[in-house]
Amino acid sequence: MMGINMKEEKFSAFIDNELDEVEFDEMYSALSSDKDFKRRWQRYHIISDTLQKHLPEKFDCKLADQVMLKLENEPAIFVPEYTSQYDLSPVSTASNATVTTLATKKPFFRQIAGLAVAASVMVVAVFVTQTFVTNNGTTAVAPVASVPSMPAESQFARISVPQPKASSGYQSQLNKYLANHNQYSTSVPGVMPYARIIGYTPDQPQRHSIRQADK
Amino acid sequence: MKFSYKALLLVVVPVISWASDSSMEALELLKKMYSAPQTLNYQGTFVYSHDGKIESMKIFHSVGTEGERERLFHLNGSAREVVREQNLVTCVLADNKSVMVNKSRGDENVFLSLPKNFDSLKNHYSFVLGDDDRIAGRHTKTVLVDPRDDFRYGHKLWIDAETGLLLSSELLNEQNMTVERIMFTELEIVDKISDDLLKPTVSGEKFTWHKEMADEGVVEPGASSWAVTNMPEGFSASRHHVRHESNKSNSIEHIVLSDGLASVSIYVEQLVEENSKFIGASFMGAVNVYGAVVDDHQVTVVGEVPRATVKMIASSVENVDLF
């Protein structure tokens, strides 16, 4: 059995893509059955993406888990297995024995497929939630790409368009409305309304002005 | 096998009872959360995240014979501070060279009236006790306030188990994604906060001072020609005022709608200049805004609710005098 340190080292090498094929397959299996490792795997990637500025403003961490859960609950679809290189007649899928054989023989690939789908959906979730306000007032979605190792700029390149705004005369009026409305914000006690007032830094385009999103 | 209703009751009753207990415990925590700042002196650092940005801020909070006093300020960039004392809120924005003074209406918080209005609130929200957690090194209990439709936001609250202080809160949109978050990273409960720490470091001299729109009084039912004809279920008008700005001759009608937890403001004013129209949707963090022009009047709807809600309300504002 693999010791804890060895497992940690292998996990680290797995994250860094430094394992050979056999070790890589072993770690994939471990990831599929170990919830803690699965969480760490996600966390490491999120940290890595954050440091490399791959992350958009909002994404749903739970989406990958939800996809994994769906896949686990999904009934397995068995592909007929050919018994020999020359015998092309499929083994009967009506046989329980055959089903058992297939189920025990192929779970590894199903798990990999599950992980791969979950990972790619997570990447897609990261992409599709990165929306931008365009100058014609509509909301556009960044193009979807799904190769995690691509440079950040090519995957998450922001659409650089001028932010449409309300007329300058009306913007100051909107700001007064926002400050006034904060006095009636009854939802949760605490500092949120006041943090909102002072929380906009000068380099942000929406400081003391609000962006027109759409109609 | 004979179906046993008694067996079913044995399962169902404890589940209902547990759900009810969870709601009641969540409710008790919310009440404790509301009253905690009224009795505690504390100082701390918190982060405010919105629109993918993180802002770091410091807070000093004091309770004395004169009531609650509080100062919070941005730790980065130019000085931006908010000082709350007695019934006044003063916002000093150094980079903008402006000072805004508003009246504080902290005593109108919804949780003060809990559980009186809990029955109506639970038609539109569920209150559930979540898992224990740790924020700023302190043990917290979590409460989930989950809306029952897509016309209001949800809340996740982390409440200090010992003191009841709100240590972290998330505002969740209709996709259950966080729109805004406040989270303490450090908190110290102290015996006393020095007066010096509650004074703004920026004097405000040579700044432009903006005072709150003067309140000309309550609009009696039937006295206004403006009406909101469509709003999400559970919302009703909680205020209808006429306001006046010192530099403008026209008055502004201000209607506040509330479902008991979320609130929406509707401002109606005469359109003076054609180029000052605002039509469509905007947002700032969790606050959504929708503008419409009705009978030469600018209608602006502002609220911490989803865009669909402000749009629905703005689109339904009518000048009933015409009919």
Side-chain angles (χ1 to χ4, degrees), chain B residues 38-295:
Chain B
Q38 297 171 342
T39 57
L40 293 169
N41 296 314
Y42 56 88
Q43 59 188 52
T45 308
F46 65 93
V47 290
Y48 165 55
S49 66
H50 62 99
D51 298 321
K53 314 269 189 318
I54 296 178
E55 317 281 345
S56 184
M57 300 179 192
K58 182 94 181 167
I59 185 169
F60 294 103
H61 182 96
S62 164
V63 180
T65 51
E66 67 287 351
E68 285 179 68
R69 295 167 69 200
E70 188 176 88
R71 173 176 161 241
L72 65 96
F73 55 97
H74 208 294
L75 286 170
N76 304 322
S78 59
R80 293 186 295 284
E81 306 190 19
V82 171
V83 175
R84 288 202 293 152
E85 51 186 344
Q86 294 173 334
N87 65 341
L88 281 183
V89 180
T90 306
C91 311
V92 185
L93 308 166
D95 51 311
N96 215 32
K97 293 196 181 305
S98 64
V99 179
M100 295 165 77
V101 183
N102 281 272
K103 278 183 188 167
S104 169
R105 294 182 178 84
D107 58 335
E108 293 171 6
N109 195 285
V110 65
F111 293 106
L112 188 67
S113 53
L114 284 174
K116 194 175 71 180
N117 62 352
F118 185 61
D119 282 343
S120 60
L121 272 179
K122 70 183 182 187
N123 290 331
H124 307 291
Y125 299 91
S126 65
F127 295 82
V128 181
L129 196 65
D131 295 334
D132 286 13
D133 203 350
R134 212 162 65 93
I135 299 285
R138 300 176 69 92
H139 175 211
T140 61
K141 291 187 172 293
T142 58
V143 174
L144 303 169
V145 183
D146 199 16
R148 298 190 193 277
D149 60 32
D150 286 345
F151 290 113
R152 36 215 127 206
Y153 283 146
H155 302 268
K156 186 171 183 184
L157 310 168
W158 284 257
I159 299 166
D160 187 29
E162 182 191 344
T163 64
L165 277 174
L166 181 63
L167 297 188
S168 184
S169 67
E170 284 183 3
L171 203 57
L172 305 164
N173 68 10
E174 55 275 37
Q175 283 89 41
N176 210 30
M177 293 175 75
T178 305
V179 187
E180 281 184 322
R181 184 172 196 189
I182 290 280
M183 184 176 67
F184 274 89
T185 55
E186 173 260 321
L187 179 75
E188 195 181 355
I189 311 290
V190 295
D191 292 333
K192 189 174 173 10
I193 296 283
S194 158
D195 280 350
D196 291 343
L197 296 172
L198 295 164
K199 290 177 186 163
T201 53
V202 184
S203 69
E205 275 181 49
K206 296 181 182 173
F207 281 20
T208 307
W209 285 63
H210 302 279
K211 293 194 176 175
E212 185 180 30
M213 292 181 274
D215 199 338
E216 289 180 0
V218 178
V219 177
E220 296 298 331
S224 170
S225 59
W226 293 97
V228 184
T229 57
N230 193 20
M231 63 187 87
E233 196 184 335
F235 277 89
S236 62
S238 61
R239 278 174 176 268
H240 194 156
H241 278 216
V242 174
R243 304 190 169 281
H244 188 79
E245 284 187 275
S246 54
N247 59 343
K248 287 191 174 182
S249 55
N250 293 325
S251 295
I252 299 168
E253 280 201 34
H254 179 205
I255 305 166
V256 182
L257 304 180
S258 176
D259 69 350
L261 192 57
S263 56
V264 176
S265 282
I266 301 152
Y267 300 92
V268 183
E269 63 177 315
Q270 178 82 47
L271 203 56
V272 180
E273 297 169 31
E274 187 63 21
N275 64 0
S276 65
K277 276 183 188 174
F278 174 69
I279 302 171
S282 290
F283 61 93
M284 187 177 79
V287 177
N288 273 299
V289 182
Y290 202 90
V293 173
V294 183
D295 298 333

Side-chain angles (χ1 to χ4, degrees), chain A residues 40-70:
Chain A
R40 287 174 60 191
W41 180 77
Q42 281 189 357
R43 192 182 300 158
Y44 281 140
H45 275 288
I46 289 169
I47 292 168
S48 166
D49 285 348
T50 304
L51 292 174
Q52 294 172 49
K53 299 184 177 175
H54 283 202
L55 282 186
E57 292 174 358
K58 292 165 187 169
F59 69 96
D60 188 355
C61 286
K62 291 175 185 165
L63 187 56
D65 284 343
Q66 288 166 6
V67 172
M68 283 300 292
L69 190 66
K70 288 262 184 195

Side-chain angles (χ1 to χ4, degrees), chain A residues 65-185:
Chain A
D65 284 343
Q66 288 166 6
V67 172
M68 283 300 292
L69 190 66
K70 288 262 184 195
L71 283 167
E72 279 167 17
N73 295 333
E74 193 76 17
I77 298 168
F78 300 109
V79 176
E81 184 182 54
Y82 298 99
T83 51
S84 85
Q85 192 179 350
Y86 303 104
D87 180 6
L88 297 181
S89 57
V91 171
S92 168
T93 52
S95 155
N96 286 341
T98 309
V99 169
T100 308
T101 306
L102 287 167
T104 52
K105 212 170 176 179
K106 299 287 185 187
F108 171 68
F109 295 105
R110 188 171 166 230
Q111 286 163 359
I112 287 180
L115 271 174
V117 171
S120 64
V121 169
M122 190 167 168
V123 171
V124 170
V126 161
F127 277 94
V128 297
T129 52
Q130 180 157 332
T131 57
F132 303 94
V133 179
T134 64
N135 55 1
N136 62 5
T138 56
T139 304
V141 177
V144 174
S146 57
V147 187
S149 58
M150 290 279 283
E153 289 71 18
S154 63
Q155 285 182 46
F156 293 94
R158 280 185 169 274
I159 300 168
S160 178
V161 292
Q163 298 293 314
K165 292 177 180 176
S167 68
S168 57
Y170 194 65
Q171 274 178 29
S172 63
Q173 192 67 5
L174 283 176
N175 295 332
K176 284 179 196 166
Y177 287 162
L178 287 168
N180 182 264
H181 173 74
N182 272 333
Q183 303 304 308
Y184 295 91
S185 176

